[in-house]
Amino acid sequence: LRLVTVGRAVAKKGFDDLLDALAALPPDLHWRLAHLGGGEALPSLREKAAALGLSQKVMFLGAKPQPEVVTLLREADLFVLPAKRAPSGDRDGLPNVIMEAASQGLAVVATDFAGIPEFLRDGIEGRLVPPGDWGALSNAINLLARDPDERARLAAAALARLRAEFGAEAGFETVARLLRDAAGR
């Protein structure tokens, strides 16, 4: 299973939870994770991966140009982003990278947090787990790893919703409707 995650290595992205979740996966599951992004927490994440015995399975690739990010998304089986509230109070809204993963036909596991559920609905366009719950995250990854048909169904639904409700055409339609309504007053 080829997992990918993208984002700066900072507390609000939840990559520490992702490492705990990966360490809890059953030993019969064969997986690899590619993390793309820089950030001040990279050294501590590398240390944690080593301490958990994951160094051979987790690749921290650093920041990459957009074409390389898209290539890795296209080659992956599952995108994971366990966003959460940082101790400082910092949090994401709706991370663009989730929509970028959906645009490449990739199933997504993320947290039911901040703006993420505005795009992904659990069991419909992706799998959502509580923020900070690495056990639930591990379980969701494990279940989707073993069910390629479910991954394909979630990916197709997310792509359809992205195009219908979050794409440029949907935005143009909304603006056009608002302008027509304003002109009619």
Side-chain angles (χ1 to χ4, degrees):
L1 182 74
R2 295 165 301 179
L3 303 165
V4 67
T5 192
V6 179
R8 286 180 309 117
V10 294
K12 70 180 180 178
K13 299 297 183 180
F15 297 133
D16 56 334
D17 294 333
L18 178 54
L19 292 175
D20 288 328
L22 295 173
L25 288 171
D28 69 322
L29 185 63
H30 300 285
W31 59 270
R32 294 275 185 265
L33 171 74
H35 169 268
L36 292 97
E40 62 268 12
L42 272 178
S44 64
L45 290 171
R46 283 189 178 104
E47 289 173 15
K48 182 170 185 162
L52 292 170
L54 302 177
S55 295
Q56 298 301 312
K57 293 184 168 201
V58 176
M59 299 172 293
F60 293 99
L61 303 176
K64 297 287 180 190
Q66 188 65 15
E68 289 184 46
V69 173
V70 170
T71 297
L72 281 166
L73 290 172
R74 287 181 180 164
E75 293 172 350
D77 299 304
L78 187 61
F79 180 84
V80 185
L81 188 65
K84 63 183 179 181
R85 185 176 183 268
S88 67
D90 193 14
R91 66 176 75 199
D92 272 330
L94 172 55
N96 288 336
V97 71
I98 289 177
M99 291 186 281
E100 290 173 0
S103 78
Q104 300 309 307
L106 192 53
V108 176
V109 174
T111 45
D112 189 359
F113 181 70
I116 295 170
E118 293 176 26
F119 175 57
L120 294 178
R121 294 170 291 184
D122 185 43
I124 301 172
E125 294 93 12
R127 287 284 180 238
L128 297 178
V129 300
D133 188 343
W134 59 263
L137 181 62
S138 184
N139 188 53
I141 293 169
N142 182 41
L143 291 174
L144 284 175
R146 298 172 191 282
D147 193 345
D149 291 338
E150 180 67 356
R151 288 195 315 265
R153 184 190 70 75
L154 292 171
L159 179 57
R161 184 155 195 226
L162 177 68
R163 288 178 174 158
E165 298 178 38
F166 292 84
E169 286 194 25
F172 295 150
E173 290 296 325
T174 300
V175 170
R177 180 179 43 76
L178 292 170
L179 290 171
R180 281 192 301 274
D181 291 350
R185 289 190 213 139

